[in-house]
Amino acid sequence: MRKCIWCNSNELNVSFKKKAHTVPQSLGGKNICLNVCDDCNAYFGNRSNGKPAVEVILKEFLHLSQYILLSTINQPIRHKSEYFDINKKTNQVGIKMKYRLIQNFQETIIRQFKRGLYKVFLEERDRQKQDAYNERFNFIREFARYDLLDYPVFYVKPFQGAVFFQTDDAKHPTIRFTEYSDEMDIDFRMFEYTILGHRIVIPTSPLYYINFKKFVTYIKKQNVKLMGEDIVEIKSINDIDFLFEHVKNN
């Protein structure tokens, strides 16, 4: 009997008729999480309490990077944004004026974006590892599905003047659980993944902070030979290099 990884309801109480894409279909996501009920699936795709939908904001944040990546290999896609403008003089992404006038709008969409990244993690965790029901992920359910409390998302700032990606991953973004990610989870309770050219880090435990300094030290040592220079907590839309400016600056 299927049981929803978000609300813990089973087939006796809820339906599972709709396809729940782990990454929004509007971004090219193909993977389906079978254990997401129709109610929870609809929640992530619809506005709630006056806030933009979690999946819509996730798509809005990442679609620009997807557009740039595919344009570099002569496979461009159309890019149109409801919420963001590109300042061609400063090469920065900014919120459109009509939304800047809404109180705390940037804080709202940053929170929705973070919730979306946690959503992708847990649904892919269920699809690939089949352990999403583990109680240690309850904090993700509370945050991503029920908008309770607050948890960070970290961004590994690029160092090298290049973006490494596979064409299929740019067209159909996904995340992968590997031996490396298992080690990071065990040692630091952190999960690092790359999506559309961006290295994202999220906690896999609400007690992540106990080993966080050790994790940052480890990542920085690894990045001497790899592609990151620092880890920042995402608090603003310009904390993420959506336009891959580091490529132009190197």
Side-chain angles (χ1 to χ4, degrees), residues 189-206:
R189 288 306 189 210
M190 303 293 285
F191 179 77
E192 175 190 349
Y193 66 91
T194 299
I195 185 167
L196 291 171
H198 302 296
R199 290 175 67 193
I200 301 295
V201 179
I202 67 170
T204 59
S205 165

Side-chain angles (χ1 to χ4, degrees), residues 3-232:
K3 184 171 73 169
C4 180
I5 63 170
W6 295 112
C7 66
N8 284 315
S9 298
N10 61 36
E11 289 178 295
L12 296 177
N13 302 304
V14 294
S15 60
F16 292 84
K17 297 178 181 179
K18 303 293 184 180
K19 291 182 178 180
H21 290 81
T22 59
V23 174
Q25 195 173 17
S26 56
L27 269 176
K30 285 187 172 182
N31 295 336
I32 304 296
C33 182
L34 297 177
N35 296 313
V36 176
C37 74
D38 293 340
D39 288 344
C40 290
N41 187 29
Y43 172 82
F44 289 114
N46 296 324
R47 294 174 63 90
S48 177
N49 297 323
K51 298 178 182 179
V54 169
E55 286 193 342
V56 169
I57 291 300
L58 187 63
K59 177 259 182 182
E60 284 271 324
F61 269 69
L62 295 175
H63 194 248
L64 175 58
S65 296
Q66 185 180 47
Y67 166 79
I68 293 173
L69 291 179
L70 292 176
S71 294
T72 64
I73 57 174
N74 296 317
Q75 296 187 29
I77 56 176
R78 293 183 62 187
H79 176 257
K80 184 178 181 181
S81 175
E82 167 66 24
Y83 297 108
F84 301 119
D85 280 325
I86 303 172
N87 188 321
K88 294 182 179 179
K89 292 183 179 180
T90 62
N91 286 320
Q92 288 186 315
V93 179
I95 300 171
K96 289 186 176 181
M97 180 60 71
K98 65 179 180 179
Y99 294 109
R100 270 187 272 166
L101 299 175
I102 300 175
Q103 187 175 12
N104 300 323
F105 186 75
Q106 178 166 208
E107 290 83 354
T108 296
I109 59 175
I110 288 292
R111 183 177 177 87
Q112 299 296 81
F113 178 58
K114 294 193 302 179
R115 294 173 68 203
L117 293 172
Y118 278 95
K119 169 202 176 287
V120 172
F121 166 82
L122 194 63
E123 292 183 358
E124 279 295 328
R125 183 95 192 184
D126 181 69
R127 195 180 70 85
Q128 297 180 46
K129 306 279 284 184
Q130 293 87 48
D131 66 351
Y133 299 106
N134 193 306
E135 289 185 359
R136 74 183 178 99
F137 298 131
N138 283 347
F139 81 102
I140 294 180
R141 278 179 269 276
E142 293 171 353
F143 179 52
R145 173 61 176 90
Y146 295 102
D147 202 12
L148 301 175
L149 302 179
D150 190 20
Y151 295 97
V153 170
F154 302 95
Y155 178 65
V156 182
K157 294 177 65 176
F159 177 71
Q160 293 185 358
V163 179
F164 302 100
F165 68 96
Q166 296 180 350
T167 300
D168 193 57
D169 282 351
K171 290 182 176 179
H172 310 292
T174 189
I175 65 174
R176 296 176 177 86
F177 291 85
T178 63
E179 289 185 11
Y180 171 77
S181 67
D182 289 342
E183 291 173 3
M184 295 301 98
D185 185 25
I186 293 170
D187 293 343
F188 306 110
R189 288 306 189 210
M190 303 293 285
F191 179 77
E192 175 190 349
Y193 66 91
T194 299
I195 185 167
L196 291 171
H198 302 296
R199 290 175 67 193
I200 301 295
V201 179
I202 67 170
T204 59
S205 165
L207 302 179
Y208 72 93
Y209 51 82
I210 294 175
N211 292 314
F212 184 67
K213 288 184 179 180
K214 292 181 181 179
F215 175 75
V216 172
T217 300
Y218 176 83
I219 289 295
K220 287 185 176 180
K221 286 181 179 179
Q222 295 296 309
N223 288 337
V224 170
K225 296 181 179 180
L226 295 178
M227 51 178 288
E229 63 177 3
D230 201 1
I231 297 178
V232 299

